[in-house]
Amino acid sequence: MRFFSKYKGNEFDYNVSDLQYLLTHFAEKPEESNNLSIEKAHRDKKFDLDEISQRELNSIVR
């Protein structure tokens, strides 16, 4: 979730609840779609990726 927050409004436009629903269903965990911890991970900087992983994912997104 935190990965996507870095791009919200720049590369992607989405509602957090819609993204959470999508990711939990892809993970085959639909019962977690309303989990507040997942939503918190979208905002909390402690869930930022390390710089190497972020650069690798940036190369895919951009």
Side-chain angles (χ1 to χ4, degrees), residues 20-21 23-36 38:
Q20 186 169 338
Y21 177 87
L23 293 176
T24 55
H25 281 72
F26 273 130
E28 296 182 5
K29 298 282 185 184
E31 67 278 3
E32 297 292 328
S33 64
N34 293 318
N35 185 329
L36 294 177
I38 297 172

Side-chain angles (χ1 to χ4, degrees), residues 2-59:
R2 182 69 181 160
F3 166 76
F4 289 100
S5 72
K6 299 262 186 189
Y7 301 99
K8 187 170 183 174
N10 297 320
E11 306 287 335
F12 303 114
D13 194 23
Y14 61 88
N15 293 318
V16 173
S17 60
D18 293 340
L19 176 61
Q20 186 169 338
Y21 177 87
L22 179 69
L23 293 176
T24 55
H25 281 72
F26 273 130
E28 296 182 5
K29 298 282 185 184
E31 67 278 3
E32 297 292 328
S33 64
N34 293 318
N35 185 329
L36 294 177
S37 296
I38 297 172
E39 185 177 334
K40 182 181 176 186
H42 185 265
R43 298 183 310 267
D44 197 331
K45 290 183 185 240
K46 75 178 181 181
F47 294 106
D48 282 348
L49 296 173
D50 62 271
E51 189 175 321
I52 293 170
S53 297
Q54 187 70 47
R55 266 190 272 133
E56 289 174 359
L57 288 170
N58 283 349
S59 69

